Amino acid sequence: MKLIITENYQDMSSKAAQYIVDIVKGNKSAVLGLATGSTPIGLYQNLIAAYKGGEISFADITTVNLDEYIGLDGTHDQSYRYFMNDQLFNHIDINKDATFVPSGVGEDMQAIAEAYTALLNSKVQDVQLLGLGGNGHIGFNEPDTAFDSTTHIVNLKQDTLEANARFFANIADVPTKAITMGIQNVMNAKCILLVASGKGKAEAVKAMIKGEVTEACPASILQRHSNVIVVVDKEAASLL
Ligand code: GLP
């Protein structure tokens, strides 16, 4: 695991974005595994700037996202599809048909999950970007998710609902279920790039890097991946 500690959020965002810029420069048809949440927003702004500055093109890039809320379709402004369009895809030259976010709406969610895993097996991520939940979750793989899990439906934990309530009018509006790439789907990526910022992530960062590898802390599995880059600001690194 390569650990980079930055002075602040801006620095974390630009350093982490540089890894993705380099991958895109080296492979114009790379598969990028992408993440939502507030943490990667600055990274996405750096990618947009690299595109607008003529440094990179996304024309032949494919993206696969980690997760989606169950019950929100892509037009809902808190859906992760909406987030990706709004924060990145609408501002770059990517072909939207090559951007994949698991669907949170459908009659047979189990079939949707299985189809997403099949898609991931056919489009292996050259890099998988991850944020980090305060409880150590990655994607929506909550504590005690099996390390060999593939795309599945989850019941979100109370602390995750509370953390994500800030984006909704009130906590009762936060969907209680999500569809997420499983931990095995994340670990299949050739490279994993995790970003975390702020004191609220310090415990989870410590457990991920220094704690035992345990399903109680999903991110701890990253200790077993051979190509992981963790970029955190100094507040998130404060307990290391
Ligand atoms: C959500 C997402 C995760 C994300 C986490 C942290 O639960 N499903 O992928 O990493 O939130 O979000 P934030 O970056 O806003 O702290």
Side-chain angles (χ1 to χ4, degrees):
M1 199 181 265
K2 181 172 177 184
L3 173 66
I4 297 167
I5 300 173
T6 67
E7 199 50 36
N8 54 37
Y9 177 78
Q10 285 73 19
D11 208 18
M12 177 207 79
S13 300
S14 61
K15 287 221 165 64
Q18 193 57 48
Y19 279 98
I20 296 187
V21 168
D22 289 344
I23 286 170
V24 172
K25 276 186 180 164
N27 178 3
K28 292 187 174 9
S29 54
V31 178
L32 308 179
L34 298 179
T36 53
S38 46
T39 313
I41 290 176
L43 184 158
Y44 292 148
Q45 286 168 355
N46 279 271
L47 294 185
I48 293 166
Y51 160 69
K52 291 201 165 150
E55 207 184 332
I56 49 171
S57 165
F58 292 86
D60 297 319
I61 293 290
T62 296
T63 67
V64 288
N65 257 78
L66 284 168
D67 49 12
E68 180 59 282
Y69 286 116
I70 303 270
L72 303 191
D73 72 25
T75 62
H76 190 290
D77 67 2
Q78 289 309 323
S79 73
Y80 286 167
R81 161 53 75 182
Y82 187 98
F83 174 101
M84 290 310 304
N85 288 345
D86 191 44
Q87 296 293 337
L88 182 63
F89 302 150
N90 288 348
H91 311 285
I92 57 177
D93 61 343
I94 199 157
N95 170 10
K96 285 246 182 79
D97 291 341
T99 68
F100 299 93
V101 179
S103 170
V105 180
E107 296 237 317
D108 186 348
M109 288 309 299
Q110 186 54 35
I112 289 175
E114 282 168 21
Y116 202 70
T117 286
L119 174 91
L120 294 170
N121 289 337
S122 70
K123 298 179 191 303
V124 175
Q125 308 96 304
D126 290 289
V127 61
Q128 176 63 57
L129 176 64
L130 295 176
L132 181 65
N135 63 7
H137 75 229
I138 49 178
F140 266 135
N141 290 286
E142 295 279 33
D144 300 322
T145 303
F147 282 154
D148 65 358
S149 55
T150 55
T151 311
H152 61 285
I153 313 302
V154 293
N155 292 313
L156 300 176
K157 302 252 187 201
Q158 186 61 26
D159 45 1
T160 298
L161 297 176
E162 284 164 15
N164 291 352
R166 67 191 195 275
F167 301 112
F168 293 82
N170 64 65
I171 192 164
D173 294 338
V174 185
T176 56
K177 288 178 188 274
I179 177 169
T180 184
M181 250 187 226
I183 292 179
Q184 192 184 301
N185 303 126
V186 171
M187 290 293 280
N188 275 348
K190 293 178 194 160
C191 170
I192 293 175
L193 175 63
L194 183 140
V195 286
S197 165
K199 276 207 165 53
K201 299 294 170 69
E203 283 286 353
V205 167
K206 183 181 169 199
M208 168 178 72
I209 295 177
K210 296 210 157 155
E212 67 165 310
V213 177
T214 163
E215 289 176 351
C217 177
S220 66
I221 190 67
L222 302 183
Q223 293 177 30
R224 300 230 174 112
H225 192 286
S226 58
N227 189 5
V228 178
I229 302 147
V230 173
V231 188
V232 295
D233 64 15
K234 65 181 185 202
E235 289 193 337
S238 59
L239 296 177
L240 294 177

